[in-house]
Amino acid sequence: MSEEEITHCGYVAIVGRPNVGKSTLLNHILGQKLSITSRKPQTTRDQILGVKTEDHVQAIYVDTPGLHLGETKAINRFMNKTASAALKDVDVVLFVVDADRWTEEDESVLQKVKYASCPVILVVNKVDQLEQQDSLLPRLANLSERMAFAQVVPISALRNKNLDRLERLVTGYIPEGMPFYPEDQITNRSSRFLAAEIVREKITRQLGQEVPYEVAVQIEEFVYEGSVIHISALILVERNGQKRIIIGDRGEKIKLIGKEARIDMEELFQQKVMLNLWIKIRSGWSDDERALASLGYQEE
């Protein structure tokens, strides 16, 4: 970027209830997998920044955990605090909802975004899944009455539909300013963090509802040796039964998780990866504030 040219830089919060496609949206905007995705809700636990620099504009997207009801455990309270904090000090909010339904959790998120001190764009996702496409316009009209949204944009994050229009609208709300990150940087997160997230994604994708949220991944080793990265990841579970499920019959599940995680890591890091996974039982970690802090789940 030339110093004579006017540059723009700002923050964009992506919020919504669990499983509406926030992480898929971020990944497609960046053109690169950064945030983990799964059909299982609440897979994003922490705030992840995705940086996109294009045409003298740097948009810093904040992907958040899904805001949800029932803060029963410390990990749930942490996720809700993280998502709510993302509404502060940003330049525009993307409130993502499903095209085909409005839930109590959507309403809860709406009550929070009403207090945002910046424009809120309602992003109506999964429009490709509507059984009757002629119901889209009435649906958009109904949703637009819930608050004075700056814009209402129907999209399909998975199909990459209408994301170019959404990005153009977002750019219009980004203020003038010098970029915070180098032009080629796409996230503020470390390679260790991204490696842990990849392993966790493969666990949730492989096991679905078999293993609940009491699973965490901690990178114990991340060492470059020539053209190879040696990564050791510790998978934490709360009960012995969960450990058996992740290992699977004759170790088949853990082998598949490791294989898929290694493939994604090699694509992300553009290097050969030697990945070692092991599992440890730590009872009650998801409801223990100190255990959460040791795993990196703590307020800034």
Side-chain angles (χ1 to χ4, degrees), residues 70 87 111 121 123 130 163 169 173 220 224 227 247-248 277 281:
L87 293 171
Q111 297 311 312
I121 298 176
V123 180
L130 285 173
L163 298 194
L169 291 172
Y173 295 109
E220 301 283 291
Y224 290 87
S227 60
I247 292 171
L277 302 179
I281 300 168

Side-chain angles (χ1 to χ4, degrees), residues 248-289:
D249 187 32
R250 298 180 182 176
E252 291 304 313
K253 281 290 183 187
I254 191 73
K255 286 178 187 174
L256 187 57
I257 289 165
K259 178 184 175 182
E260 293 189 349
R262 180 181 54 76
I263 290 169
D264 273 16
M265 288 178 190
E266 289 182 340
E267 184 177 344
L268 179 63
F269 302 133
Q270 293 294 295
Q271 279 187 256
K272 183 174 174 58
V273 170
M274 298 293 290
L275 177 63
N276 179 43
L277 302 179
W278 51 295
I279 307 172
K280 183 177 180 180
I281 300 168
R282 186 183 292 180
S283 180
W285 75 262
S286 65
D287 201 23
D288 184 325
E289 301 278 0

